[in-house]
Structures are given as structure tokens and as C-alpha cells.
Amino acid sequence: MAVVKRIVLLLLLALVVLAAAVGIKTWRTPSRQVSVAPIQKAPVDAQAVAERLAGAVRFKTVSSQEDPDYNREEFLRLHAYLEQKFPRLHATLKKEVVGGLSLLYTWQGSDPKAPPVALMAHQDVVPIASGTESAWTTEPFGGTIKDGYVWGRGAWDNKGNLLSQMEAIEALVASGFQPKQTIYLISGADEEVSGLRGAKPIAALLKERGVKLAWVLDEGMLITEGMLPGLSQPAALIGLAEKGFGSFKLTLDTAPGHSSMPPAQSGIGSMSRALAKLESNQLPASLGGVAGSMFETLAPEMTGFNQVALSNLWLFGPLVQKQLEKSPSTNTMLRTTTALTIFQAGNKDNVMPGHVEATVNFRILPGESLASVEEHVHKTVADDAIKVAHYPGNSEPSPVSPMQGPGYMAIQRTVREVFPEGVVAPSLMVAATDSRHFNGVSDAVYRFSPVRAKPQDLPRFHGTNERISIENYVEMIQFYQQLLRNAGTAVAQD
Ligand SMILES: [Zn+2]
């Protein structure tokens, strides 16, 4: 009995020590948020800026992958509109048209030694999905101002960013501000269809001119509200990297034949087995990398068990990971995802098809590559009869931009100044943006839009009833103004 009692006591003691370790780690993990002094936010005429944005939404700048001149007139009218609405900007910055319709503005800095920076926002928009027009409460390209919002395709993605950047620069020029470092404003006209005619040649042009950008800020992650369990404050997520895009076509050719005498193994059966294997053998998930940095940064800001678990990944790591893998929106941050997107075979009910093909789309985590994914496909499918081919539009995951350095510092500080109730954390962008073309021109590429979003707002992105609140739009203008002021300060401190 004495022995049993001793063991129970020892176990209890171990439990107490463990609980104490967890508690200490939880309560002693300090906040990583920078503290800033309150600022006087720039005055903005909300009605006037909303009307200018609404006007820009009315140009149907839908881009096309195949036709570079698709909606050319609409783009040219938008360019003329911008010149008319932002006269000071156009009188002060040099404007160049690249690749037909994309724009590169240069705002010459006073200090030629200060490394230049770039803001990006694209002009093109996605079309209205056919059949959804009637679900819009306003005309999709009407640029309607109603109930405190600017409504219409592009109000959020991405004319909101473009126009708020221009409003910020227009106001800064009017106030007599001149930047220390040169500032580029880059606006692609084909972001939604690859950026190959816009962002890519602009990046090449800058490289050719010997420009090395200290940092780049493009559209990207948002100020999320109510999306992260355990976090009550809005979270400004700064995309440090974006996932790669890898579509692979799997084809299988077999002898076609009559279905009255089928072979033991059909083409459709073989391909189905291969696809099922790919779906059930996912690439590994991990709490490391950018997702790990995000949780590390957010943990001290959380409450309840989320704070305890995320502060003690040494103990709760497997539990947390399992939980995150359950939801597609967090699962995608932890691993290279596998999505079966196309399957084609057969056209007659009594004929065995001779050709079967399928497409699998992977979103590749930084650290992995198109080559490593292709190897995974071959190894998992393990069927030499199935051929694997790359899609031409595939792209590698981006490098991971630093959480230190002037770019991240300036963005972080500006968020805390303009959105004082919010917290800032690094994050991983799971979709592609134009900024991926700038990896050769800068080592610090960030993806963040100062747009507030609740879970119910997300379907509006590329969807029906796209809109931006005027209140938030004013904050966006204040954000870019303050960011450009802070960019200069960061240079001066270096
Ligand atoms: Zn966009």
C-alpha cells in the first residue's frame, strides 16, 4: 500500500509541476505588439472620397487571359478619370504605361541614397458570375453609395486599395510632403488573370533600371474580426509569403472496347484509384513556418484555453494541429493542399473509354516546390501507365519576407497607429497576387490590405454584393498616408 500511495503522490506532484509549467509559460509570454503614441489621423472628406471611388467602380475593367485588348476602352477611361480626379498626384509623379494598360508611377525622393519602396494595387476586376446578376442588390458596376457603403465590383478588390493609395498621395502632395525615398505606385491591369502583362514586365523594367526595393506592399490578408477563436480584438494579418500554385494533368491511355466484355481493370478505375490515393495521402501538416509565427504572435493576445494551448505548443502542439486541420481555412495554412478539380472520361454508356484525364491542383507551402510535389504525385500514384504533366501557369511558393526590417516595422507601426484596438501578426497568403512577380526586385514583399472583414464579408470577395464601408475606406486612406510618412522615418533612423 505504501508503494501505491507513493506512486500516486509522485504522479500528483508531476501533474502539479506540469500545470505550473503551462501556467508560467502562458502568463509570462509577453505581448509582441509594438506600443505607439496616439496619432492625429489625417482629416478625410468621407463623402468626396466615397464618390471618387464609386466613380472608378463604374468602369468595367474586367481583364481577360487571352485578349490583352479586352475592355481596353474601359481601362483608358479609368486612366483619364484618375488623371482628372488626382491632379496633384499626376503633376508630381512620373507616369509610365507598361504592357499596354498597366501603370507605373514614380514619386522621386529627396534622398537618392534612401532605398525606394512600392505600393501596389491592381485596376482590373473579375467578372460577375453569370446567373448571379439578379442577386445583386445594386447594379454590379453601378458604383452605388448606399447605407454607408460603396457598392460594386472592385470596390473592395482592388479599386478600394488603388484609389485610397492615390487619395493618400494626393493629400500628401497637397500638404507639401516630399518623401525621402522614392515611392513607386504600381497598378497592374491583368492581376486577376496572371499579371504576366502588367506586374511582371514592371518588375523586369525596375530590375533593368537597377532598382532594388527596400519593401513592397500589395493587396493581401485583411484586418479580420471574429475569425480567430479566442481573439476578441481585430487582427491585422500581414502576409509574409504566398503559397505556390501547381496544377498537374494526369492522363491514362488504354485500349478502348465494348462494355459487354470489360477488362478486369478499366481506365476510369485506375485513374479513380490514383486520385483517391492522392486525396487520402495528403502532404504533411506542420505548425512551423509562417503559420507558426502567426500563432506565436497571437497567443499572448488571446484568452481562455486558446491562449494556454497556443502558448504551450511544446505540450498541446499535436492537439492544436489536429484541430486546425479540421477546418479548410486553417488546414491550408499548415500544409500543401491537394484538390481534385477536373475529371474527364467516356462519352457513351456502352463504350470503355480509351483516354482518361484528371487535374489535381496543389497549393504549395513555402519550403516545398513544384518538383517536390511532382515527386509526391509519382510516388503516391505509383502507376507508370499514368502520365503526369505540368500546367503552364504553375508557380513556385514565394520566399518568406522578414518580420524584422523597415517594411514590416513600418506596416506594423502604422496599423497600431491607425487601428489602435487591433493587433498585428504575420500570416501566409493562400491565394496568388501580383506581388509574386517582385521577388527578384525586393527581399521584403508584404501582402496586406487595411480592409476590415468579418466572416460573413468573405463571400463578397470576387462574389455578389461586393462593397466597402465608407468608414473603413477613410481608414484605408489614413493608413496609406501614415505608412508613407512612417516609411521616411524608418529610413531616417537607419
Ligand atoms: Zn485583388
Side-chain angles (χ1 to χ4, degrees), residues 122 157-158 191-192 219 461-462:
H122 59 90
D157 180 23
N158 199 231
E191 190 275 344
E192 299 292 0
E219 63 169 329
F461 194 84
H462 284 199

Side-chain angles (χ1 to χ4, degrees), residues 13-352:
L13 189 67
L15 211 63
V16 168
V17 169
L18 194 68
V22 167
I24 288 167
K25 186 82 176 57
T26 305
W27 312 126
R28 293 192 69 179
T29 305
S31 172
R32 292 165 190 241
Q33 300 303 309
V34 292
S35 41
V36 297
I39 59 152
Q40 188 75 42
K41 289 189 200 173
V44 174
D45 180 343
Q47 189 59 30
V49 298
E51 274 165 19
R52 279 193 285 272
L53 174 59
V57 169
R58 293 181 198 128
F59 302 103
K60 294 182 181 154
T61 52
V62 176
S63 51
S64 150
Q65 181 100 56
E66 298 77 28
D67 181 4
D69 289 327
Y70 189 65
N71 284 327
R72 186 178 172 79
E73 282 309 309
E74 294 286 320
F75 282 97
L76 294 178
R77 284 172 59 213
L78 172 65
H79 296 177
Y81 177 84
L82 296 174
E83 288 209 13
Q84 186 206 337
K85 297 296 177 188
F86 302 103
R88 292 189 182 89
L89 181 155
H90 284 85
T92 310
L93 280 63
K94 182 175 82 173
K95 173 180 155 182
E96 293 169 89
V97 181
V98 180
L101 294 168
S102 295
L103 301 175
L104 169 63
Y105 290 92
T106 308
W107 193 0
Q108 199 59 50
S110 59
D111 178 359
K113 286 203 194 85
V117 303
L119 296 181
M120 298 177 66
H122 59 90
Q123 310 156 42
D124 61 323
V125 296
V126 293
I128 311 300
S130 64
T132 64
E133 295 87 349
S134 61
W136 283 73
T137 55
T138 63
E139 181 63 33
F141 287 98
T144 309
I145 298 176
K146 193 173 70 117
D147 305 332
Y149 292 86
V150 177
W151 299 73
R153 175 63 81 236
W156 173 357
D157 180 23
N158 199 231
K159 285 175 180 164
N161 286 32
L162 176 61
L163 274 278
S164 59
Q165 290 171 1
M166 288 197 159
E167 294 283 359
I169 293 173
E170 184 78 4
L172 285 171
V173 173
S175 75
F177 175 86
Q178 206 213 332
K180 275 202 177 61
Q181 71 280 72
T182 294
I183 292 164
Y184 294 97
L185 178 58
I186 295 162
S187 183
D190 66 337
E191 190 275 344
E192 299 292 0
V193 294
S194 73
L196 295 178
R197 296 189 296 262
K200 195 174 181 191
I202 290 175
L205 182 66
L206 291 177
K207 200 169 181 178
E208 192 188 299
R209 291 177 183 169
V211 174
K212 180 86 185 169
L213 297 168
W215 52 267
V216 175
L217 177 63
D218 194 6
E219 63 169 329
M221 307 294 287
L222 307 165
I223 303 178
T224 63
E225 297 180 21
M227 287 196 210
L228 297 155
L231 189 74
S232 54
Q233 312 91 305
L237 303 177
I238 317 295
L240 299 186
E242 63 189 47
K243 291 180 93 176
F245 183 103
S247 282
F248 294 90
K249 186 186 265 185
L250 277 56
T251 52
L252 174 60
D253 289 298
T254 57
H258 201 274
S259 66
S260 60
M261 291 177 291
Q265 203 169 75
S266 65
I268 290 181
S270 298
M271 185 63 85
S272 302
R273 263 187 294 280
L275 295 174
K277 277 197 252 175
L278 283 171
E279 198 168 56
S280 53
N281 291 286
Q282 297 272 331
L283 284 138
S286 135
L287 279 176
V290 179
S293 309
M294 171 174 143
F295 293 123
E296 228 173 71
T297 307
L298 288 177
E301 315 305 325
M302 293 189 161
T303 51
F305 183 69
N306 289 289
Q307 184 192 10
V308 176
L310 287 174
S311 303
N312 290 278
L313 290 178
W314 60 276
L315 182 64
F316 297 110
L319 185 78
V320 169
Q321 183 174 319
K322 225 176 175 161
Q323 211 52 38
L324 294 172
E325 281 181 69
K326 278 189 192 159
S327 157
S329 64
T330 42
N331 178 54
T332 187
M333 296 190 66
L334 306 189
R335 61 153 44 92
T336 295
T337 52
T338 306
L340 312 182
T341 51
I342 304 178
F343 192 108
Q344 282 167 333
N347 54 7
K348 185 122 181 28
D349 66 327
N350 61 351
V351 176
M352 307 297 298

Side-chain angles (χ1 to χ4, degrees), residues 215-216 218 239-241 401-402 435-436 438-439 442-447:
W215 52 267
V216 175
D218 194 6
L240 299 186
S401 298
S435 71
R436 72 184 181 284
F438 281 75
N439 295 321
S442 180
D443 301 326
V445 179
Y446 302 100
R447 300 141 187 98

